[in-house]
């Protein structure tokens, strides 16, 4: 590890402990040349997850996009932001645990809808209306009927 003070390439680890609730390791190091101490963090490298959009284009996965959609769907609804963050995190963890490194935006949308259905049905219908691109009132009524049948 390169020393930030003198740029010497060798250092020794003085102390090591978990950080970020076990997601990384904090290491105190001492430069072998100038003897100054500095801190480094080590974290596990995650493989990038790519999302295949409806038009066939690919972009890297961004949990904040899911969270943004959830926030819009739950606007003025009695759903806490913590609940929405947990849904987004749960979906991300589910996708990261898969072997495939590419996932369709449709599959992500279905996971969001499945979780919203159990949290707030109005938010579910709002999200579904945008996600499934309801073209007319009949499509909207069909989705409401499915929701009523599930109860």
């Amino acid at each position: 590890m390169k020393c930030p003070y003198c740029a010497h390439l060798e250092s020794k680890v003085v102390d090591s402990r978990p950080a970020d609730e076990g997601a990384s390791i904090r290491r105190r190091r001492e430069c072998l040349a100038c003897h100054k101490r500095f801190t480094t963090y080590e974290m596990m490298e995650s493989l990038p997850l790519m999302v295949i959009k409806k038009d066939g284009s690919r972009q890297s996965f961004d949990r904040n996009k899911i969270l943004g959609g959830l926030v819009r769907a739950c606007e003025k609804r009695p759903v806490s932001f913590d609940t929405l963050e947990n849904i987004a995190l749960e979906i991300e963890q589910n996708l990261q645990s898969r072997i495939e490194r590419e996932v369709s935006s449709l599959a992500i949308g279905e996971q969001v809808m499945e979780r919203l259905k159990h949290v707030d049905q109005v938010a579910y219908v709002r999200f579904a209306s945008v996600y499934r691109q309801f073209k007319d009132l009949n499509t909207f009524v069909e989705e409401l009927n499915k929701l009523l049948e599930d109860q």
Side-chain angles (χ1 to χ4, degrees):
M1 182 65 61
K2 185 175 171 180
C3 174
Y5 303 105
C6 70
H8 187 70
L9 291 175
E10 293 184 41
S11 63
K12 68 178 181 180
V13 175
V14 178
D15 181 43
S16 222
R17 63 180 64 169
D20 297 327
E21 297 176 1
S24 63
I25 297 175
R26 177 186 182 271
R27 298 196 193 280
R28 284 294 289 161
R29 296 179 178 270
E30 183 178 314
C31 175
L32 296 178
C34 69
H35 302 288
K36 290 189 178 180
R37 291 186 175 193
F38 57 98
T39 303
T40 61
Y41 290 88
E42 180 181 315
M43 62 184 64
M44 183 174 62
E45 183 178 27
S46 63
L47 296 172
L49 184 63
M50 298 302 290
V51 177
I52 303 169
K53 307 293 279 180
K54 289 179 187 175
D55 66 0
S57 65
R58 286 171 167 72
Q59 61 182 234
S60 58
F61 176 80
D62 183 4
R63 183 178 67 213
N64 290 326
K65 287 188 176 186
I66 292 175
L67 188 56
L70 288 166
V71 167
R72 281 189 300 279
C74 293
E75 194 171 336
K76 298 183 182 178
R77 298 296 305 153
V79 180
S80 73
F81 188 74
D82 284 346
T83 301
L84 302 180
E85 281 185 315
N86 288 336
I87 291 172
L89 182 61
E90 185 179 312
I91 291 170
E92 180 181 29
Q93 289 173 342
N94 183 358
L95 296 173
Q96 289 288 357
S97 68
R98 296 168 41 159
I99 295 172
E100 305 90 27
R101 300 314 313 155
E102 292 186 337
V103 63
S104 72
S105 60
L106 299 174
I108 295 171
E110 290 297 328
Q111 286 191 40
V112 171
M113 285 183 24
E114 186 59 37
R115 285 164 178 82
L116 267 180
K117 187 187 295 186
H118 302 292
V119 171
D120 187 284
Q121 293 179 342
V122 172
Y124 165 80
V125 172
R126 283 181 182 171
F127 188 88
S129 68
V130 173
Y131 170 71
R132 293 212 171 121
Q133 299 175 341
F134 291 169
K135 307 237 183 302
D136 55 25
L137 189 57
N138 289 332
T139 315
F140 191 79
V141 170
E142 286 173 19
E143 192 65 35
L144 287 175
N145 286 334
K146 285 182 198 174
L147 190 59
L148 290 171
E149 288 171 13
D150 287 347
Q151 287 184 335

